[in-house]
Amino acid sequence: MYYGSGNYEAFAHPKKPKNVDNKKAYIIGTGLAALTAASYLVRDGQMKGDKITIFEKDPIAGGACDGYLYPEVGYIMRGGREMDNHFEVMWDLYRDIPSIETEGVSVLDEYYWLNKEDPNYSLMRATKNLGEDGETNGEFGLSDDGAKEIMKLFFTPDEELYNKPITDYFSDEVLNSNFWLYWRTMFAFQNWHSALEMKLYIKRYIHHVGGLPDFKALRFTKYNQYESMILPLIKYLESHNVNFVFNTKVIDVDFDITNDKKKAKSITIEKNGKEEVIKLTENDLVFITNGGCVENSTYGSQDKKAEYKPELKAGGGWDMWKRIASKDKSFGNPEKFCSNPEKTNWMSATVTTLDDKIVPYIQNICKRDPFSGKVVTGGIVTVKDSNWLLSWTFNRQPQFRTQPNGQLVGWIYGLFSDKKGNYVKKTMKECTGKEICMEWLYHMGVPVDQIEELATNSANTVPVMMPYITAFFMPRQTKDRPDVVPKGAVNFAFLGQFAETARDTIFTTEYSMRTGMEAVYTLLDIDRAVPEVWASTYDVRDLLNSSYHLRDKKKITDMKMSFIEKIALNTVLKKIKGTDIEKLLKNHKLI
Ligand SMILES: Cc1cc2nc3c(=O)[nH]c(=O)nc-3n(C[C@H](O)[C@H](O)[C@H](O)COP(=O)(O)OP(=O)(O)OC[C@H]3O[C@@H](n4cnc5c(N)ncnc54)[C@H](O)[C@@H]3O)c2cc1C
């Protein structure tokens, strides 16, 4: 497997890999990573679909990428996916996956046209004082010292950041700024999370810094991501006769391990309460989605809270990974991620408005007609003064293809599930859907005497508790996640958020898809480049542009500097006078 970029590699089709007709594949999980692996086995590996078997413990495919109508409970989407144009593997695959909306069109083109015609941006990124403008004014509000702390983290070698929290690098200069408000709510970072992950994120998305305050950096699918992303992949795989086996837990995978070779030799599955062992040869490839950010998630209902149940059980992603990890050092260290659910949980809730009474409050904040079919809030709206650090969003409506006319489906989430609300004097964990809705309506400016009535009769709200939703952000070091294909592995690979791949950042659809592509390309030795992670961190234009925006469009000469630093800067500016470097800095408005 090797990386590349540019059209030469992007448009070429690889030759059929040697010996693929003698191989079979077993894939554990039906998340985006697993479906991507299956799709690359078919498209580029040219493996016949009926040689591929996918085991899923749940009754439905998609894993973290959900969006369903649960009878008697209501619509649920645990999350909404902010995405970008430089999800290179995603678009490499989806350019060949037919849309299920429009015949003859790929998912990529459908998404491209939609986001061209209806670009995303927010007209109110934050609120305060019960629905008033949060007055972030599109600014990061960083002091020069804060900007320097971010710069310092950017240049700190990964090794120095191992096992350290963000608070070792950011002081209140950053943590009290708009920058941190935008960042932590957009990406779900907590102050105690990994400094390494924070650095990797800044590098990965440096080209988007200017688009963070109003979300013009983002793009969204038409419907929830189960319908817009998972269903087309399933249809594609079904059309190639790939076997899906639902309600089947993989309990364990066993290996033959010597000094220089590791071979998966059996998979133990449990179906209908019965265990079965599948014996493997070197020609049987195994793709393992280990861990999982929505493992142990539970949902409540309008009148029921979502139970907090972090206990790990056999047949779940964490338990399976723990068993596997105990067999070889190179299979990672799941304890780093799954042993402190108090530090990795948060909650979301899906709210469905049932009549037009709540709509004006939404419209007052998003400044758009929520029923237009176009961008509504344009990303999350964060309630700056919420104890739960509540954010909420309505994406393009309808969000579900079955959604009745006149209803809106939106998403609420809170980063602090154990703090009492400002209006509902309970923690988010203790709240029913209705109570979460009441807290949200309060912050939207609904008069107090109407809050309960609207939450009861004008909305249906379903809470979800996710004990491991930010497990991947826990402080860690190298080798805590197994490599996608560990050294010496001949017939197995790890997939998803807890498999290690270079430079990309977790908690994204792209990360999972990338691991799927890399796994297949490595194990089948497919001779075409995997698109490298978008290289903006090496592009001086993006670096200059982000410096300009991060300091709210100030020139470098306006930075707080010591006398010596000023002299040094003036000397450099004199030296570059009349050169292309001066032109570049001027073009980016830095001098
Ligand atoms: C609330 C939320 C918000 C998000 N926001 C964004 C965003 O803004 N932008 C973005 O790009 N991404 C976002 N994501 C992330 C993205 O959705 C996920 O990273 C991605 O979908 C994970 O895919 P995966 O295949 O790696 O893992 P999963 O989707 O977790 O799939 C793993 C699958 O394996 C199955 N499985 C596990 N263990 C076993 C076993 N032992 N036996 C059988 N089956 C098993 C599970 O049931 C599951 O179906 C968000 C996710 C959530 C939940």
Side-chain angles (χ1 to χ4, degrees):
M1 195 274 290
Y2 66 97
Y3 295 118
S5 59
N7 293 342
Y8 183 61
E9 291 282 358
F11 296 137
H13 295 98
K15 283 190 164 172
K16 187 168 178 169
K18 274 190 228 133
N19 205 19
V20 67
D21 288 334
N22 298 326
K23 294 187 194 279
K24 278 193 285 182
Y26 296 96
I27 302 180
I28 303 170
T30 55
L32 264 178
L35 299 178
T36 300
S39 303
Y40 276 112
L41 285 169
V42 170
R43 190 189 82 176
D44 295 349
Q46 297 159 67
M47 184 180 275
K48 295 247 180 323
D50 58 10
K51 302 266 196 75
I52 303 169
T53 303
I54 311 188
F55 296 118
E56 171 56 57
K57 65 177 159 60
D58 291 340
I60 193 160
C65 253
D66 61 344
Y68 328 115
L69 175 61
Y70 287 83
E72 315 296 323
V73 175
Y75 286 111
I76 301 184
M77 35 189 192
R78 282 177 293 209
R81 275 106 211 138
E82 302 162 331
M83 303 199 303
D84 93 340
N85 45 341
H86 288 304
F87 279 5
E88 303 296 314
V89 170
M90 176 177 283
W91 305 123
D92 180 77
L93 180 61
Y94 276 116
R95 74 192 156 105
D96 282 327
I97 303 297
S99 152
I100 55 171
E101 297 297 318
T102 322
E103 209 171 324
V105 168
S106 70
V107 172
L108 167 60
D109 284 342
E110 179 181 77
Y111 175 92
Y112 179 77
W113 294 336
L114 176 72
N115 284 284
K116 272 276 156 73
E117 281 160 19
D118 182 27
N120 187 78
Y121 58 95
S122 154
L123 295 171
M124 199 180 292
R125 173 64 182 85
T127 61
K128 60 179 182 185
N129 302 334
L130 316 185
E132 288 174 13
D133 189 336
E135 291 175 328
T136 47
N137 302 326
E139 290 179 351
F140 286 107
L142 281 163
S143 63
D144 284 352
D145 288 337
K148 280 183 192 163
E149 287 178 15
I150 295 174
M151 184 97 101
K152 187 169 171 226
L153 181 68
F154 187 90
F155 288 116
T156 303
D158 290 2
E159 306 75 62
E160 278 184 36
L161 303 172
Y162 289 166
N163 301 317
K164 296 204 180 135
I166 288 167
T167 42
D168 279 10
Y169 291 85
F170 289 169
S171 71
D172 286 349
E173 297 288 327
V174 176
L175 299 175
N176 290 337
S177 67
N178 284 350
F179 167 83
W180 189 237
L181 182 84
Y182 302 146
W183 194 275
R184 73 191 323 199
T185 54
M186 176 176 180
F187 297 120
F189 272 92
Q190 304 274 15
N191 294 9
W192 56 81
H193 280 157
S194 158
L196 173 62
E197 230 53 74
M198 181 70 206
K199 171 200 162 176
L200 295 175
Y201 253 80
I202 302 179
K203 295 193 87 156
R204 174 70 172 88
Y205 294 111
I206 197 77
H207 54 284
H208 280 326
V209 166
L212 290 191
D214 67 356
F215 289 134
K216 63 176 173 293
L218 298 183
R219 286 158 181 76
F220 291 93
T221 54
K222 181 165 181 183
Y223 297 113
N224 64 79
Q225 288 74 57
Y226 176 73
E227 291 178 43
S228 285
M229 298 180 72
I230 299 291
L231 277 184
L233 283 175
I234 293 174
K235 291 265 175 307
Y236 171 80
L237 294 171
E238 282 175 348
S239 75
H240 286 274
N241 304 316
V242 168
N243 310 301
F244 285 90
V245 186
F246 290 104
N247 300 309
T248 302
K249 297 175 186 166
V250 174
I251 305 291
D252 202 359
V253 181
D254 257 317
F255 303 86
D256 275 332
I257 298 177
T258 61
N259 278 347
D260 53 359
K261 189 170 162 182
K262 300 179 176 84
K263 192 192 91 174
K265 66 172 179 190
S266 67
I267 307 174
T268 306
I269 61 169
E270 187 197 299
K271 192 171 169 64
N272 302 326
K274 273 204 206 128
E275 278 199 9
E276 187 188 320
V277 176
I278 301 167
K279 295 249 183 274
L280 307 169
T281 71
E282 247 177 76
N283 277 331
D284 296 319
L285 310 182
V286 184
F287 298 87
I288 307 161
T289 317
N290 52 307
C293 65
V294 292
E295 288 295 299
N296 296 58
S297 72
T298 56
Y299 62 84
S301 67
Q302 167 86 345
D303 296 310
K304 204 170 135 243
K305 67 176 187 178
E307 299 293 338
Y308 177 60
K309 288 187 173 168
E311 305 77 28
L312 305 180
K313 300 219 171 93
W318 292 113
D319 183 82
M320 177 184 66
W321 184 16
K322 280 185 175 193
R323 287 171 199 243
I324 291 172
S326 69
K327 293 167 196 175
D328 193 85
K329 272 213 308 264
S330 70
F331 298 166
N333 184 5
E335 298 293 343
K336 272 279 171 73
F337 307 100
C338 69
S339 58
N340 202 346
E342 286 301 322
K343 291 238 148 85
T344 60
N345 79 79
W346 47 255
M347 295 188 65
S348 72
T350 308
V351 59
T352 306
T353 64
L354 304 175
D355 57 30
D356 56 7
K357 294 201 181 123
I358 295 174
V359 180
Y361 295 96
I362 299 171
Q363 191 153 355
N364 178 44
I365 290 171
C366 73
K367 313 282 181 217
R368 294 182 174 108
D369 172 9
F371 290 107
S372 68
K374 297 192 159 190
V375 164
V376 182
T377 51
I380 54 171
V381 180
T382 295
V383 182
K384 273 170 73 168
D385 47 4
S386 147
N387 291 349
W388 295 349
L389 196 52
L390 214 63
S391 296
W392 57 275
T393 179
F394 283 80
N395 284 330
R396 296 180 182 100
Q397 302 291 316
Q399 259 299 283
F400 287 81
R401 292 181 301 172
T402 58
Q403 199 174 310
N405 282 340
Q407 296 192 355
L408 301 171
V409 179
W411 185 74
I412 303 172
Y413 101 110
L415 268 181
F416 304 132
S417 66
D418 56 357
K419 296 232 159 67
K420 288 204 181 348
N422 303 74
Y423 177 70
V424 177
K425 303 289 181 210
K426 283 183 175 181
T427 66
M428 204 173 177
K429 260 187 198 151
E430 294 165 335
C431 283
T432 63
K434 182 177 121 182
E435 289 164 334
I436 290 174
C437 184
M438 286 166 64
E439 181 75 7
W440 172 61
L441 294 176
Y442 172 74
H443 285 296
M444 298 252 291
V446 172
V448 168
D449 60 354
Q450 293 173 35
I451 287 179
E452 182 149 19
E453 150 69 14
L454 291 194
T456 309
N457 296 317
S458 298
N460 181 63
T461 308
V462 187
V464 176
M465 159 51 76
M466 295 170 280
Y468 298 103
I469 184 65
T470 54
F472 30 59
F473 284 158
M474 290 303 276
R476 66 169 175 92
Q477 63 177 47
T478 184
K479 305 290 175 211
D480 282 337
R481 303 184 299 198
D483 287 341
V484 170
V485 179
K487 198 158 173 258
V490 290
N491 66 340
F492 66 96
F494 291 95
L495 302 178
Q497 304 285 298
F498 298 91
E500 179 78 33
T501 176
R503 289 217 293 118
D504 214 347
T505 49
I506 32 66
F507 210 178
T508 63
T509 42
E510 168 71 0
Y511 191 96
S512 294
M513 296 188 71
R514 170 170 293 281
T515 60
M517 182 176 191
E518 291 185 1
V520 170
Y521 267 52
T522 308
L523 291 184
L524 286 183
D525 198 16
I526 295 176
D527 197 10
R528 170 183 173 251
V530 169
E532 71 165 342
V533 172
W534 186 246
S536 47
T537 192
Y538 304 119
D539 187 327
V540 71
R541 295 164 303 181
D542 285 312
L543 298 180
L544 295 177
N545 200 29
S546 63
S547 312
Y548 173 68
H549 283 284
L550 210 52
R551 295 188 60 248
D552 294 326
K553 305 181 185 170
K554 288 194 217 106
K555 296 196 185 321
I556 35 178
T557 39
D558 294 341
M559 192 151 194
K560 190 172 109 188
M561 273 178 276
S562 66
F563 182 65
I564 304 282
E565 283 167 336
K566 261 189 198 151
I567 293 180
L569 178 65
N570 282 334
T571 312
V572 171
L573 292 179
K574 266 189 209 147
K575 284 234 176 261
I576 61 167
K577 210 162 181 48
T579 68
D580 275 355
I581 303 178
E582 185 189 48
K583 258 200 211 161
L584 199 64
L585 291 175
K586 277 189 175 159
N587 286 345
H588 287 86
K589 302 182 191 139
L590 282 164
I591 55 173

